[in-house]
Amino acid sequence: MAIDPTGTDLKAFLAEDAPGPVVMLNLLRFKEGGRASYDEYGRHTAKTFLPRYGGEVLYAGDGRSPLVAEAGQAWDVVLLVRYPSREAFGRMIADPEYQAITHLRTEALAEAVLQPTTPWW
């Protein structure tokens, strides 16, 4: 199952010609007992790294029983995180201090979707 972006996917994301802000949809499924580790990662990220790179959490919520979904498509958590640009996101994840805590996220998750979005209007 996918958890972390690959180098190839990250390069393609950063190279896309999509100026302006990007809102990252995060769909997260935890390993058994992984919520505490992710919460620690989330606190550090929200307190330190998002402000440092101009990002902000627009929404964070627990998933509930899906209304429309195939079997296995339910998610534990949904996050929307806005970054001022793809470049800002890239700088954040390249930050050595950020990289030092990413193991908390990786250890917590069984599966994840990181879907970049750009505004229609």
Side-chain angles (χ1 to χ4, degrees):
M1 297 290 168
I3 296 173
D4 296 314
T6 66
T8 302
D9 292 338
L10 186 57
K11 285 178 186 174
F13 165 77
L14 293 172
E16 277 188 29
D17 184 22
V22 61
V23 175
M24 193 73 73
L25 167 66
N26 294 252
L27 301 174
L28 309 175
R29 189 171 296 120
F30 296 119
K31 292 178 182 173
E32 186 70 36
R35 178 67 184 250
S37 179
Y38 191 87
D39 285 347
E40 184 178 350
Y41 161 82
R43 280 191 303 275
H44 287 302
T45 301
K47 179 180 174 185
T48 303
F49 302 107
L50 290 178
R52 184 179 294 174
Y53 294 99
E56 65 176 316
V57 175
L58 300 177
Y59 176 82
D62 291 320
R64 298 290 183 236
S65 298
L67 183 60
V68 177
E70 298 292 326
Q73 289 183 330
W75 297 96
D76 295 324
V77 167
V78 174
L79 295 165
L80 291 171
V81 183
R82 182 188 177 281
Y83 299 91
S85 65
R86 289 169 185 256
E87 186 266 338
F89 176 83
R91 286 188 296 118
M92 183 187 82
I93 65 171
D95 183 317
E97 289 180 59
Y98 174 81
Q99 289 182 3
I101 67 161
T102 59
H103 70 94
L104 296 168
R105 180 186 178 281
T106 302
E107 293 164 1
L109 297 176
E111 188 173 12
V113 171
L114 298 177
Q115 177 68 55
T117 70
T118 52
W120 280 1
W121 301 283

